[in-house]
Amino acid sequence: MRIRVRHETRYGYDRPAALGPHVVRLRPAPHTRARVLSYSLQVSPARAAVRWQEDPWANRIARLTFPVGAETTELALTVELALEVRPVNPFDFFVDDRCKELPFRYPDGLEHELAPFLGVPDAGPRLRAFVADLPAGGPFTPWLVELNRRVAAEVAYVIRNEPGIQTPEETLELRRGSCRDSALLLVHALRARGLAARFVSGYLVQLADEGAIPDLPRGMLQDVVDLHAWAEVYVPGGGWIGLDGTSGLLCGEGHVPLCTAVHPELAAPVSGTASAPASRFEFALEVVRLGHEPRPRRPYTDDQWAALRATGRAVDARLAAQGLALTMGGEPTWTSREQPRLPEWNLEALGPSKWAQGLRLAHELRRRLPAGALVLQQQGKHYPGESLPRWALRFLWRPDGVPVWRDPARLDLRAPEADGARGEPAREVEPPARAAAEAARQARRA
């Protein structure tokens, strides 16, 4: 399924403020499971310079700079993102045979490469008790599932709009937290067991369940997208595997990572400075399906049909008010009453009689069009499997009467024989494509 995500962020200032450098971390990371079809970032004020770079963890970040001395009352960021989402099996990963059972040490020098993600934080008594209550060993993948499940069971998910992240001690004491609080708790618990873990910020896309299977629970009732946070653990042989502590599930196709970091503050979606504090903060997120619009499963009601017709009339009125004239596309299909049995008037595409009658029609139309019309012979369509393109005759003229072409004799379009105008077969005139092909063959023989 293809979807479009639109994310708007606005910072407002009560008085004009000079903006310092900003860092924006709102572009999908390379390891996202959804395929990125298109991406754009728009910044206002428009004079901002946007420079993309890659940080040490392969995150794509935008560094914004603003003209010296320029001031503004608003900073606005708009992300437009198109994704192709396909279902994935979150358990479809390989685990190195040497690391299938806990505890283990990372083999092949991975400890040195993963050192920043292995740093054991200062664990308080609640975190130590939480980790000690986990199984001491056993199969690696089931242990990860159990850890993720316990975080979801013991920490009630709440939405916190205030800035900052709770420490694991605060989260375990309060037994509630936002997605970023549960993610940080997971990171600390994993590192306390000697496992490399990192903090992830991203989008969580949840699409409505269109199935209607009896006696089975339904999923989301509508399509939603939100900023979200989760943790990733490094599995030898499997790479970075995402754990969502708010749901207790492994991350799937709807988790779109934007930034991964050793510390949560390095994964903030937007960070920067200004000469005055922001007094207003607004954001909006929406997701739209592309090419998968809802289809009516029953006839429109009279009210719905009336609304559709009223919308069409309103569009027509606006087009007419702006002087826009619309025409119906398509190509008329002609047949020959003079030589209807020839191949070009039945199964074949081209032939001499078609070129001759096309010229006759062109000259007749030119006499009826405004003065100074131009008959243009040009290359036509080139269909797959055909060695040469077809020919086409087109007319060009100006609606104000100014001639486009004054001397028809200078056009390289030979007129048909006079007796052809009386309904008799016209002189066969060789089509330009066939003439060009014959000339090329003679040149090769020469």
Side-chain angles (χ1 to χ4, degrees), residues 6 32 45 86 174 185 228 266 375 391 394 398 421 442:
R6 181 180 176 87
T32 181
R86 295 178 180 270
L174 297 172
L185 173 59
H228 197 53
L266 298 179
V375 182
W391 51 264
R394 300 188 185 276
R398 290 178 51 150
Q442 292 178 1

Short mmCIF file of all heavy atoms in Angstrom, two decimals, residues 6 32 45 86 174 185 228 266 375 391 394 398 421 442:
data_model
loop_
_atom_site.label_atom_id
_atom_site.label_comp_id
_atom_site.label_asym_id
_atom_site.label_seq_id
_atom_site.Cartn_x
_atom_site.Cartn_y
_atom_site.Cartn_z
N ARG A 6 2.07 13.72 5.87
CA ARG A 6 2.35 15.16 5.92
C ARG A 6 2.49 15.56 7.39
O ARG A 6 1.61 15.29 8.20
CB ARG A 6 1.23 15.96 5.26
CG ARG A 6 1.48 17.47 5.26
CD ARG A 6 0.34 18.22 4.58
NE ARG A 6 0.50 19.66 4.66
CZ ARG A 6 1.18 20.38 3.79
NH1 ARG A 6 1.75 19.77 2.77
NH2 ARG A 6 1.31 21.69 3.93
N THR A 32 14.79 1.69 7.44
CA THR A 32 13.33 1.61 7.53
C THR A 32 12.80 0.50 6.63
O THR A 32 13.32 0.26 5.53
CB THR A 32 12.69 2.96 7.15
OG1 THR A 32 11.28 2.85 7.29
CG2 THR A 32 13.03 3.34 5.72
N PRO A 45 11.17 30.66 7.59
CA PRO A 45 11.41 31.56 6.46
C PRO A 45 12.15 30.87 5.29
O PRO A 45 13.01 30.01 5.50
CB PRO A 45 12.29 32.66 7.05
CG PRO A 45 12.14 32.54 8.53
CD PRO A 45 11.85 31.13 8.82
N ARG A 86 4.56 -2.62 3.06
CA ARG A 86 4.22 -4.03 2.84
C ARG A 86 4.32 -4.77 4.17
O ARG A 86 5.21 -4.50 4.97
CB ARG A 86 5.16 -4.68 1.82
CG ARG A 86 5.06 -4.09 0.42
CD ARG A 86 6.07 -4.74 -0.52
NE ARG A 86 5.97 -4.18 -1.87
CZ ARG A 86 5.18 -4.66 -2.81
NH1 ARG A 86 4.42 -5.71 -2.54
NH2 ARG A 86 5.14 -4.11 -4.02
N LEU A 174 6.45 5.62 39.02
CA LEU A 174 5.13 6.11 38.65
C LEU A 174 4.28 5.04 37.98
O LEU A 174 3.05 5.15 37.96
CB LEU A 174 5.27 7.31 37.71
CG LEU A 174 5.95 8.55 38.29
CD1 LEU A 174 6.20 9.58 37.19
CD2 LEU A 174 5.11 9.15 39.41
N LEU A 185 13.58 3.15 29.21
CA LEU A 185 13.63 2.04 30.17
C LEU A 185 14.12 0.77 29.49
O LEU A 185 14.95 0.03 30.05
CB LEU A 185 12.24 1.83 30.78
CG LEU A 185 12.07 0.60 31.67
CD1 LEU A 185 13.04 0.65 32.86
CD2 LEU A 185 10.62 0.49 32.16
N HIS A 228 6.71 8.84 17.38
CA HIS A 228 6.78 7.73 18.33
C HIS A 228 8.23 7.49 18.69
O HIS A 228 9.16 8.01 18.04
CB HIS A 228 6.17 6.48 17.69
CG HIS A 228 5.80 5.40 18.66
ND1 HIS A 228 5.00 5.62 19.76
CD2 HIS A 228 6.13 4.08 18.70
CE1 HIS A 228 4.84 4.49 20.42
NE2 HIS A 228 5.53 3.53 19.80
N LEU A 266 19.92 13.13 21.50
CA LEU A 266 20.53 13.20 20.17
C LEU A 266 19.58 12.73 19.07
O LEU A 266 19.96 12.73 17.90
CB LEU A 266 21.80 12.34 20.14
CG LEU A 266 22.92 12.75 21.09
CD1 LEU A 266 24.10 11.80 20.98
CD2 LEU A 266 23.36 14.18 20.81
N VAL A 375 -0.17 23.43 -42.04
CA VAL A 375 -0.26 21.98 -42.03
C VAL A 375 1.13 21.43 -41.70
O VAL A 375 2.09 21.69 -42.44
CB VAL A 375 -0.73 21.43 -43.39
CG1 VAL A 375 -0.88 19.90 -43.32
CG2 VAL A 375 -2.06 22.07 -43.78
N TRP A 391 3.36 8.32 -39.02
CA TRP A 391 3.34 9.73 -39.39
C TRP A 391 2.07 10.38 -38.86
O TRP A 391 1.09 9.71 -38.51
CB TRP A 391 3.46 9.91 -40.89
CG TRP A 391 2.47 9.10 -41.70
CD1 TRP A 391 2.69 7.90 -42.27
CD2 TRP A 391 1.12 9.47 -42.02
NE1 TRP A 391 1.57 7.45 -42.93
CE2 TRP A 391 0.59 8.40 -42.79
CE3 TRP A 391 0.31 10.57 -41.76
CZ2 TRP A 391 -0.72 8.42 -43.29
CZ3 TRP A 391 -0.98 10.59 -42.25
CH2 TRP A 391 -1.49 9.54 -43.00
N ARG A 394 -0.76 17.58 -38.57
CA ARG A 394 -1.38 18.43 -37.55
C ARG A 394 -1.61 19.83 -38.13
O ARG A 394 -0.94 20.24 -39.08
CB ARG A 394 -0.51 18.51 -36.30
CG ARG A 394 -0.26 17.15 -35.66
CD ARG A 394 0.44 17.28 -34.33
NE ARG A 394 0.78 15.97 -33.78
CZ ARG A 394 -0.06 15.21 -33.08
NH1 ARG A 394 -1.28 15.64 -32.83
NH2 ARG A 394 0.33 14.03 -32.62
N ARG A 398 -3.77 30.55 -35.27
CA ARG A 398 -3.96 31.47 -34.16
C ARG A 398 -5.42 31.91 -34.12
O ARG A 398 -6.01 32.25 -35.15
CB ARG A 398 -3.05 32.69 -34.31
CG ARG A 398 -1.59 32.36 -34.08
CD ARG A 398 -0.70 33.55 -34.29
NE ARG A 398 -1.15 34.71 -33.53
CZ ARG A 398 -0.34 35.66 -33.05
NH1 ARG A 398 0.96 35.56 -33.25
NH2 ARG A 398 -0.82 36.68 -32.40
N ALA A 421 -10.28 14.19 -56.01
CA ALA A 421 -11.31 14.99 -55.36
C ALA A 421 -12.70 14.62 -55.84
O ALA A 421 -13.69 15.00 -55.24
CB ALA A 421 -11.05 16.47 -55.62
N GLN A 442 18.68 1.86 -49.61
CA GLN A 442 19.48 2.11 -50.80
C GLN A 442 20.88 2.61 -50.39
O GLN A 442 21.88 2.26 -51.04
CB GLN A 442 18.78 3.14 -51.69
CG GLN A 442 17.50 2.59 -52.32
CD GLN A 442 16.81 3.64 -53.16
OE1 GLN A 442 17.29 4.77 -53.29
NE2 GLN A 442 15.65 3.27 -53.74
#
